[in-house]
Amino acid sequence: MAITTYAELQAAVASWLARDDLAAHIPDFIVLFEASACRRLRVRPAERAATVAPANGEAALPEDFLGVRRLTRNGASVDLAYVHPSALPAPAPGAPAVYTIEGGTLRVRPVDVAELTLVYRARTPGVASALNWLFTHHPDAYLFGALAEAHLFDKDPESAAIWKARAEQVLNEIREVDFHYRGAMRVRVGGPTP
């Protein structure tokens, strides 16, 4: 059975469960897995870039924002440094050097009109509304994760543990591929080499 659409995913979960009485709950099992995976996967495919233009040193964060990877002033090659909100300097004119986040607001100091590029970890949209990167490339994670949730719902901890382990194995493999993709295994040399 192919798992390339949301309907096919629901059918696969139902088939693997071999239980008609749980069919109405399958969308919930999928959503529960998605919520967990979204919180834990900090990988390149979950990143987005956005241009933000602070007004008076403040800009709204994107709706799908989960965390900053990098904030850079457009045209500059230096990242802004994060500071705790209590350490953010008072507004003064100049090129932004530091930032903080309070609620859904990005604050930068010093203040100018320069646009910034925000590279951030984005919330993965639910597969029920549109296919996402996780489902498209790793439908097995969805299947195993939904099966774990189904067995938890059915109060079958032994089966839930088996499927949770399978889902976690897939998530770990995704993290490992991303780790190698980012070049974390390369040797980095700082400064001039002999």
Side-chain angles (χ1 to χ4, degrees):
M1 166 183 278
I3 305 176
T4 58
T5 67
Y6 181 61
E8 289 173 353
L9 172 62
Q10 291 182 62
V13 172
S15 175
W16 284 58
L17 285 173
R19 298 261 313 263
D20 294 336
D21 60 324
L22 296 178
H25 300 287
I26 290 173
D28 294 340
F29 304 149
I30 294 168
V31 167
L32 290 170
F33 163 73
E34 283 179 321
S36 173
C38 183
R39 284 190 300 273
R40 295 182 297 135
L41 280 177
R42 292 185 167 99
V43 294
R44 182 191 47 79
E47 292 177 358
R48 302 285 175 269
T51 299
V52 293
N56 298 320
E58 295 186 0
L61 292 168
E63 289 290 321
D64 60 351
F65 176 86
L66 289 178
V68 174
R69 174 130 163 79
R70 183 175 62 248
L71 182 65
T72 308
R73 186 172 188 233
N74 287 2
S77 60
V78 178
D79 293 349
L80 277 67
Y82 173 81
V83 296
H84 187 273
S86 65
L88 189 68
V98 296
Y99 74 94
T100 197
I101 295 173
E102 292 184 285
T105 303
L106 172 73
R107 292 189 168 84
V108 297
R109 299 294 188 268
V111 176
D112 75 1
V113 295
E115 289 186 333
L116 306 171
T117 298
L118 172 67
V119 178
Y120 66 99
R121 193 166 63 87
R123 183 177 301 106
T124 301
V127 74
S129 59
L131 298 184
N132 60 48
W133 70 269
L134 181 58
F135 178 76
T136 300
H137 298 290
H138 310 287
D140 52 343
Y142 268 89
L143 176 62
F144 301 153
L147 289 171
E149 295 297 338
H151 287 288
L152 284 171
F153 177 83
D154 198 33
K155 296 175 183 52
D156 181 357
E158 289 177 19
S159 295
I162 291 168
W163 293 115
K164 183 175 174 69
R166 293 288 308 271
E168 195 58 42
Q169 177 185 2
V170 174
L171 296 179
N172 285 336
E173 289 168 357
I174 294 168
R175 288 184 200 101
E176 185 177 316
V177 167
D178 186 67
F179 178 76
H180 291 290
Y181 173 83
R182 289 185 192 267
M185 296 306 290
R186 289 185 296 206
V187 174
R188 291 181 178 86
V189 178
T193 57

